[in-house]
Amino acid sequence: MEVIRSSPEASSFVPLAEHQSRTPSSFYSGPPVLYHHSQHCKIVILERELLATPALNALRGQDAANSTASQDDEDKEVAISGVDTWVTSDKLLLFSPTAATGVSIPYPSISLHALQRLRVPNTDAEVQGLYMQIATPGAPSEDDEEECITVTVVLPADATLQEPVENETDTPTQQLYNAVSACSNLHPDPVEPGDEDDNEDGPKFISAEEHEGVFQLGNGDLPPPVDGSSGWITAENMEQFFDADGNWIAAGEPPSFPLGPGAGTVRAREGENGVEENGDEDESKWRKTD
């Protein structure tokens, strides 16, 4: 997350309703879209995590410079009041007008967000809030997992719905959650090298050079579709398309691309004691029929 020193302005964003009402000239340029904006929110966070995150701790203003906590206090939750929440298509922004500082949070760093029922510190009422786990930069933990802090955004009691409700159970906090979900989907996690090989149960792809009996194409594309071949002619289904001499026997014109190594070759099989058999006794199964 990054520190911001100037308050976001509504004029810097395109309202969501306006964005949805027209086709933009470009999806990759122009001002960010404002999905949600709530003022006078509260940020609920553990004291120790707040002290370990100076950018968030600065939201407390003058109290941040004098904030210290005993070991017992570090496990207590604190609430920072008067924070404005801006959910934009670019980043999630939290800004305190009183402290004249805020933070911008990239969506990929929000590893989890959900609706939560909680009691705000120093209050008795149970309210609904947006719970978030936010990854923080630093050395990995002992179990090689990312270090995270947990932050809950609580809207003011007088918060109103910002969009038409889809059902009677919608609340302002539900709309805040929906906005964060929509913007998170705009920023998927990048594919790390090797991720495509992690699915051992998924399909495996090989090149023509790695598989004898597969047609080899110069440009690396798949072969043209052939009925019954799923796009590939391999050693397993080759007898449906070629006879023992390599002549095309399937319906239609033969493919125009060159054969790869081993294509059209009938291999001898090993008999008992490792003696090779030429398959003459079963030659009829390879003989071309009219």
Side-chain angles (χ1 to χ4, degrees), residues 192-273:
E192 297 293 336
D195 284 353
E196 63 274 12
D197 298 327
D198 292 340
N199 183 13
E200 297 181 356
D201 297 329
K204 299 295 187 294
F205 299 95
I206 59 174
S207 66
E209 292 82 358
E210 297 175 302
H211 194 299
E212 288 191 1
V214 176
F215 282 105
Q216 182 178 8
L217 299 182
N219 60 5
D221 294 334
L222 288 174
V226 179
D227 292 340
S229 70
S230 300
W232 288 95
I233 300 177
T234 69
E236 284 72 22
N237 64 3
M238 185 173 58
E239 69 273 7
Q240 301 175 27
F241 306 95
F242 296 93
D243 62 15
D245 298 325
N247 298 312
W248 179 259
I249 61 174
E253 294 295 326
S256 59
F257 42 82
L259 297 180
T265 302
V266 179
R267 299 181 180 277
R269 63 179 181 179
E270 289 188 357
E272 295 182 0
N273 301 322

Side-chain angles (χ1 to χ4, degrees), residues 14-277:
V14 176
L16 179 60
E18 179 182 338
H19 172 72
Q20 294 175 333
S21 66
R22 58 183 175 85
T23 301
S25 58
S26 172
F27 290 97
Y28 304 101
S29 61
V33 178
L34 180 60
Y35 279 70
H36 188 97
H37 176 216
S38 290
Q39 297 176 304
H40 311 301
C41 303
K42 291 183 179 179
I43 305 298
V44 179
I45 184 174
L46 288 174
E47 177 75 30
R48 58 180 169 82
E49 293 185 341
L50 188 59
L51 293 175
T53 315
L56 281 175
N57 194 34
L59 296 176
R60 291 200 278 191
Q62 294 297 326
D63 294 337
N66 302 321
S67 59
T68 58
S70 64
Q71 186 172 359
D72 294 336
D73 292 337
E74 288 184 350
D75 292 328
K76 293 182 179 180
E77 287 184 325
V78 296
I80 305 174
S81 301
V83 177
D84 295 345
T85 302
W86 302 74
V87 183
T88 78
S89 59
D90 184 24
K91 294 180 180 179
L92 172 65
L93 309 177
L94 302 175
F95 190 85
S96 170
T98 302
T101 189
V103 294
S104 65
I105 304 174
Y107 290 105
S109 68
I110 304 176
S111 56
L112 173 67
H113 67 283
L115 293 173
Q116 179 189 26
R117 300 293 300 183
L118 73 158
R119 284 186 173 85
V120 177
N122 303 320
T123 65
D124 295 328
E126 187 178 74
V127 297
Q128 190 179 48
L130 175 68
Y131 171 92
M132 295 183 292
Q133 283 187 356
I134 303 174
T136 55
S141 59
E142 294 180 356
D143 54 3
D144 293 333
E145 293 184 356
E146 280 186 316
E147 293 288 350
C148 294
I149 60 174
T150 59
V151 174
T152 302
V153 179
V154 178
L155 300 185
D158 59 354
T160 58
L161 295 168
Q162 299 191 11
E163 302 175 27
V165 297
E166 296 181 359
N167 55 68
E168 295 180 356
T169 61
D170 276 354
T171 64
T173 304
Q174 177 74 52
Q175 291 192 342
L176 171 62
Y177 168 84
N178 294 342
V180 174
S181 298
C183 292
S184 294
N185 290 337
L186 299 176
H187 300 267
D189 293 336
V191 178
E192 297 293 336
D195 284 353
E196 63 274 12
D197 298 327
D198 292 340
N199 183 13
E200 297 181 356
D201 297 329
K204 299 295 187 294
F205 299 95
I206 59 174
S207 66
E209 292 82 358
E210 297 175 302
H211 194 299
E212 288 191 1
V214 176
F215 282 105
Q216 182 178 8
L217 299 182
N219 60 5
D221 294 334
L222 288 174
V226 179
D227 292 340
S229 70
S230 300
W232 288 95
I233 300 177
T234 69
E236 284 72 22
N237 64 3
M238 185 173 58
E239 69 273 7
Q240 301 175 27
F241 306 95
F242 296 93
D243 62 15
D245 298 325
N247 298 312
W248 179 259
I249 61 174
E253 294 295 326
S256 59
F257 42 82
L259 297 180
T265 302
V266 179
R267 299 181 180 277
R269 63 179 181 179
E270 289 188 357
E272 295 182 0
N273 301 322
V275 178
E276 292 188 354
E277 299 178 0

